[in-house]
Amino acid sequence: MKKFRPQPGFVVQAYRFALDPNAVQERALRSHCGAARAAYNWAVGWVTASWWQRRAEESYGIAEAGLTQWRPWSLPALRKAFNETKHTDPRFAAWWEENSKEAYNTGLANAAAAFDNYTKSKQGKRHGKRMGTPRFKSKRKARLSCRFTTGAIRVDTGGRHVTLPRLGTIRTHEPTVKLLARTQAGTARILSATVRHERGRWYVAFQAEVKRDLERVARPDVAVGIDLGVKTLAVMADSTGEIRTVANPGHYDRARKQLRRASRIVSRRQGPDRRTGQKPSKRWEKANAARNRVHHRVANLRTDALHKLTTSVAAEYGTVVIEDLNVAGMLRNRRLARRIADAGFAEIRRQLTYKTRQRHATHLVAADRWYPSSKTCSGCGGVKAKLPLHVRTYECDTCGLVIDRDDNAALNLAALAAACLTGTGVAGDQDTTEVVSKPRGADHKTRATRTRRKASAGRAGGATLPHQRQEEARDRTHAEALTLR
């Protein structure tokens, strides 16, 4: 599938609206999402069946020329094979006509993308954590989602209904005038629609090509450095020396007492048991729904607060400097994981990335992960060798400056904007400009401990753990499939 590229002056933007389907429409929505999951599982089983068949044939000594052929996993190949199978396969023959073809295409496209990601990860062409082979989706755990790319996809003239293929006209919980006005004026074109069940509600997200003019920021010549934290969500220091603090709302901490009470009520009801096949009672379902509403409210409050923060920052400053934080590593700290996850560091950077690029054309700079923003003196530039986390006040040994630790880090981040815009920075991520600085070797990782060195020596000597041996055996089975493609 070719990647869509918008025309000059247009951007691809999503408009999401909550739905209010009736009982019949909700059953149809669940049926389409279940069809997408079934098609995904069929594709995963169809492709991997040839892998295990070849492995079994090799164990019998069959030559390479006589082995079963590899099955392709491209979207056209999966779609062709599925269309040939759905009429006779007992898993689909009785009910596949009840849903739109887009439901099955959603599952096949997701399976093709999963196999492509696995291939690129094995070949070293994909960043991030190594991905394993695609696995089957559980009916109990899989998220309900379905994407429509063809057919009747529109926002109706009343501003309170949307039309989707095979699902018909569905009322929305909120007005759709933002997208309706643009489509009627000819400044927006709907490309696709995705229905999804999330936080106890059904949502539809329209992907549209929108003509958007860049808005001028309030202070285009001012740069701001943002230091994120737990006790204080953000400390923003601009190039004029002004420092502003944004308190951490702590939505989850505020709701913990209510969550404890709701969870206690759920634990006293008769819940489901997969081992014995016990069904949950009506009282358990009612109590569980009440507990979920608390979680959903916390998530909605967090999302609203982060959007308001990032929108105000992107609309005010001409240059925004943020940190490239290792959020996944920070979450391993069991003492701070809950507060870090509640703050939403990664979500702040994600929102700033697209808002500065598509709405205001603001310069977004990401400081290098090993840049010592907290250890560097914002007055004289001296760098401390050590600065423990519990020390919240920075005291410079050279010039005697005494300043709050977070304020000092924000001032140093704001100073990096001048280095980047004058050409001394080094290009980094595709969405940001990454500034690399190496004062006193501060960009080097912490030295390995004795335990880690012994474990590395053991692995170098050939000692492997049981789960590592299983992964190596599975990788050898799939390696040939990747080399022949």
Side-chain angles (χ1 to χ4, degrees), residues 224-241:
V224 62
I226 303 177
D227 180 73
L228 302 178
V230 174
K231 185 177 181 181
T232 301
L233 179 60
V235 176
M236 298 183 293
D238 56 32
S239 54
T240 63

Side-chain angles (χ1 to χ4, degrees), residues 89-149:
D89 194 325
R91 293 172 293 179
F92 302 98
W95 56 271
W96 71 268
E97 294 180 346
E98 299 176 2
N99 303 304
S100 172
K101 65 175 183 179
E102 293 296 320
Y104 306 103
N105 189 72
T106 299
L108 299 178
N110 292 340
F115 280 108
D116 287 340
N117 291 336
Y118 167 67
T119 304
K120 294 177 181 178
S121 180
K122 288 291 295 181
Q123 296 175 351
K125 300 179 181 179
R126 189 178 189 276
H127 298 288
K129 186 178 180 180
R130 191 182 73 171
M131 297 192 64
T133 56
R135 296 181 294 179
F136 296 110
K137 291 186 178 181
S138 170
K139 182 179 180 180
R140 184 173 60 93
K141 296 181 179 180
R143 176 163 291 177
L144 301 177
S145 178
C146 180
R147 185 167 182 257
F148 300 91
T149 57

